[in-house]
Amino acid sequence: MFSKSNSDDKIQKFSEYIDKSQHIVAITGAGISISGGGVTYSQLSRTIRPGGSFESESFLTSYVKAMHHYKPSLSHYALTDLEREGKLTGVITTNEDCMHTIAGTQNVAEIQGSFQINRCKDCGKHFDGYEIWNKDELPKCDSCGGTILPWELYSHIGLWNDGVQKAQEWISKADLIIVIGTNGYYGGVYWNHRRSDAIIVQINPGHTAFDRVADLNIREPSDDVFRKLKERKP
């Protein structure tokens, strides 16, 4: 554990990095959504049977009904504030819970899809937007009556290309990369497109693959870090 003074020094350094940066990109994983109760791909994948068929009752009970109770975390709102200040270029995330969008962030690259990228499992018709999940039953296609699924279940596995392209573009311009609550950086998918001189700050209580490349590792929950940052502002 870090001492309080050591932790304060890291928060101060992080604050200075933000102040000096013009193009910040955040990379987020499940850790940023823990306090809000968000959904991860590993959780969603449990609703697919080994043979590839969809377990609709499990999905309805575990996720659709629970989505009424999901809320963005303090960290989600902090990133939205950075975007409104003109500091944050975008968020790259593997999360499917749409919490960044719900918190108000405009530029989000959901590289594995999300509940706002939806398709009919029978005819493939697009139904984009998380609002269709604001009910206690699975949404149905208005063309064929088939069940609508989020991209990660519709495709079973794979990346969302539109999100990947945004991620590559944003990270190639970033002078500060903030990594929050994620364990790996998806190599050539987007990480290898980053600027060689970009500063990397990792916020994560545990050790991850980012440890050796980060210029600054803050071993605290992200909500605590952004709360301390906010308290420093006049």
Side-chain angles (χ1 to χ4, degrees):
M1 296 292 291
F2 290 114
S3 66
K4 185 176 185 302
S5 60
N6 194 346
S7 175
D8 288 346
D9 289 345
K10 289 176 179 288
I11 299 297
Q12 178 60 36
K13 191 67 175 177
F14 182 34
S15 180
E16 292 172 0
Y17 283 147
I18 291 174
D19 289 342
K20 293 176 182 178
S21 298
Q22 300 299 317
H23 300 285
I24 301 173
V25 167
I27 299 172
T28 69
I32 195 172
S33 291
I34 288 175
S35 63
V39 181
T40 66
Y41 179 77
S42 61
Q43 291 172 313
L44 280 172
S45 65
R46 296 170 195 159
T47 63
I48 295 290
R49 295 191 185 99
S53 60
F54 173 57
E55 182 59 69
S56 60
E57 286 304 316
S58 175
F59 179 61
L60 177 64
T61 301
S62 300
Y63 304 109
V64 175
K65 291 182 178 179
M67 282 189 74
H68 296 287
H69 305 290
Y70 297 162
K71 295 180 181 179
S73 66
L74 185 153
S75 302
H76 289 108
Y77 287 115
L79 293 178
T80 298
D81 288 342
L82 283 176
E83 184 183 61
R84 288 172 178 166
E85 293 168 10
K87 303 289 283 185
L88 183 75
T89 301
V91 174
I92 302 169
T93 188
T94 53
N95 295 342
E96 291 82 20
D97 54 22
C98 307
M99 289 296 108
H100 287 294
T101 300
I102 293 170
T105 300
Q106 298 296 309
N107 295 317
V108 185
E110 296 165 320
I111 65 171
Q112 287 186 325
S114 77
F115 277 95
Q116 56 187 348
I117 303 167
N118 309 294
R119 303 289 179 269
C120 171
K121 73 179 182 66
D122 293 332
C123 72
K125 183 176 179 179
H126 294 214
F127 291 88
D128 293 340
Y130 65 86
E131 295 85 359
I132 68 169
W133 300 103
N134 293 333
K135 56 185 71 177
D136 290 327
E137 59 184 8
L138 292 178
K140 298 294 184 179
C141 177
D142 57 10
S143 292
C144 74
T147 299
I148 297 171
L149 298 177
W151 168 258
E152 53 275 42
L153 293 185
Y154 174 80
S155 63
H156 293 277
I157 191 170
L159 297 169
W160 178 242
N161 288 334
D162 287 2
V164 170
Q165 290 175 8
K166 290 178 183 177
Q168 291 174 350
E169 177 185 353
W170 296 342
I171 204 167
S172 70
K173 300 175 182 177
D175 51 7
L176 173 61
I177 302 170
I178 307 172
V179 182
I180 306 171
T182 186
N183 294 320
Y185 38 70
Y186 283 77
V189 173
Y190 67 84
W191 183 252
N192 292 346
H193 292 259
R194 73 190 188 282
R195 283 171 45 174
S196 60
D197 62 343
I199 298 294
I200 301 168
V201 174
Q202 176 180 219
I203 305 171
N204 199 317
H207 293 279
T208 76
F210 288 99
D211 289 0
R212 61 185 180 83
V213 297
D215 298 280
L216 179 65
N217 282 299
I218 304 177
R219 303 289 185 204
E220 298 183 49
S222 61
D223 282 3
D224 292 348
V225 172
F226 284 109
R227 186 177 295 109
K228 291 175 181 178
L229 275 180
K230 188 174 182 179
E231 291 171 353
R232 287 173 177 266
K233 290 187 176 182

